[in-house]
């Protein structure tokens, strides 16, 4: 079968023939319909992922939506979301603990986008950030997939005011169309913390931060007494300079987040909530589907523009 293989760490993806996966007890074999490219796929292949990289060669791809071919517990043809490794392929296996049956009608590619990216947004708000009814939320990096999902999710979870911040004016326009009450352009601000606080009407309770660097530091400075900042990425910089008083004088909580730390049942239930909202027309993601054979092009586009959600289709683009 055809699959996307990383032949050595630091090399790009190649499409090649590999052996068919062999299902073992406790695993589900699927036919892959849609598999998104995520920053973790690129960083793993490059050797930059903090959790390390698999032995090479390996089939890339951390998640997919597909149909069950063989399973101990699910009927053949059942539509499922799967996570793990090896899903940029025509067929793949997943541990049964990483298989979620999709119980609503929603586009395969759209459903796939609520895995890594959707969970990062929703879990950061609810499970890690403890968002409360009526609070004000600031979403940094709001032009990217995680940020745009977070803008919508914050509203669905009861936020009173949602502020989107990004460098892209087009991305901020999209955030406004998806429910942001106010926006802040990260470039060209004399005092970014003051701009955040002004957009938040003087009260900032929770920040979702996938960027770190100067914007992350400014959000921490702007956060109100008892507020929380959930840190889940470093697209702006891996370092930020903070003053002690910004944190201790306001009883501030800075909370790290990674999807893998959430219990499986929490991830699965959260994922299903998102696809149900999507089926109801209440939650969406902007994505582009590309055939598996164009993975090298898709890889470069994803690396150059993290805000784009590119989804690989082993069967080609409809």
């Amino acid at each position: 079968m055809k699959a996307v293989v990383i032949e050595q760490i630091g090399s790009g993806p190649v499409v090649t023939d590999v052996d068919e996966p062999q299902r073992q007890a406790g695993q589900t074999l699927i036919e892959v319909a849609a598999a998104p490219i995520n920053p973790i796929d690129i960083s793993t292949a490059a050797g930059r992922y903090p959790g390390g990289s698999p032995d090479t060669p390996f089939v890339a791809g951390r998640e997919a939506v597909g149909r069950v071919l063989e399973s101990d517990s699910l009927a053949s043809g059942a539509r499922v979301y799967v996570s793990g490794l090896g899903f940029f392929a025509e067929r793949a296996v997943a541990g049964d603990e990483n298989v979620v049956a999709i119980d609503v009608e929603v586009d395969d590619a759209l459903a796939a986008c609520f895995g890594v990216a959707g969970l990062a947004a929703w879990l950061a708000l609810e499970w890690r950030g403890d968002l409360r009814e009526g609070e004000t939320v600031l979403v940094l990096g709001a032009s990217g997939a995680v940020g745009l999902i977070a803008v919508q999710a914050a509203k669905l979870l009861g936020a009173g005011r949602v502020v989107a911040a990004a460098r892209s004016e087009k991305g901020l326009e999209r955030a406004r169309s998806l429910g942001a009450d106010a926006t802040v352009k990260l470039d060209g601000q004399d005092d970014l913390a003051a701009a955040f606080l002004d957009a938040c009407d003087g009260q900032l309770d929770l920040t979702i931060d996938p960027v770190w660097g100067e914007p992350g530091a400014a959000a921490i400075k702007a956060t109100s007494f008892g507020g929380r900042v959930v840190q889940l990425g470093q697209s702006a910089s891996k370092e930020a300079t903070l003053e002690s008083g910004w944190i201790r004088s306001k009883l501030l909580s800075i909370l790290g987040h990674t999807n893998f730390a959430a219990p499986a049942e929490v991830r699965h239930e959260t994922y299903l909530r998102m696809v149900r909202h999507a089926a109801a027309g209440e939650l969406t993601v902007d994505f582009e589907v590309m055939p598996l054979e164009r993975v090298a092009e898709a890889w470069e586009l994803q690396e150059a523009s993290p805000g784009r959600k590119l989804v690989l289709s082993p069967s080609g683009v409809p």
Side-chain angles (χ1 to χ4, degrees), residues 23 27-30 67-72 74 76 96:
R23 185 180 79 92
Q27 293 182 326
T28 294
L29 174 66
I30 71 160
R67 270 72 177 171
V68 171
L69 295 174
E70 297 176 13
S71 173
D72 293 329
L74 294 170
S76 178
D96 288 346

Side-chain angles (χ1 to χ4, degrees), residues 174-261:
R174 182 60 173 147
R176 283 190 286 269
S177 75
L178 292 174
D181 298 291
T183 61
V184 176
K185 199 167 189 302
L186 294 177
D187 294 335
Q189 299 286 350
D190 293 330
D191 187 337
L192 191 53
F196 287 157
L197 203 54
D198 182 62
C200 292
D201 280 348
Q203 178 69 30
L204 174 52
D205 302 298
L206 175 62
T207 295
I208 303 304
D209 174 25
V211 301
W212 203 230
E214 181 184 358
I220 289 169
K221 183 179 180 181
T223 299
S224 300
F225 186 89
R228 293 93 64 210
V229 175
V230 180
Q231 214 301 305
L232 59 150
Q234 55 180 40
S235 61
S237 174
K238 65 180 181 180
E239 297 180 347
T241 301
L242 310 175
E243 293 186 17
S244 170
W246 299 350
I247 301 167
R248 58 186 169 82
S249 65
K250 297 184 291 186
L251 293 184
L252 199 69
S253 297
I254 302 175
L255 306 162
H257 173 73
T258 175
N259 291 345
F260 306 115

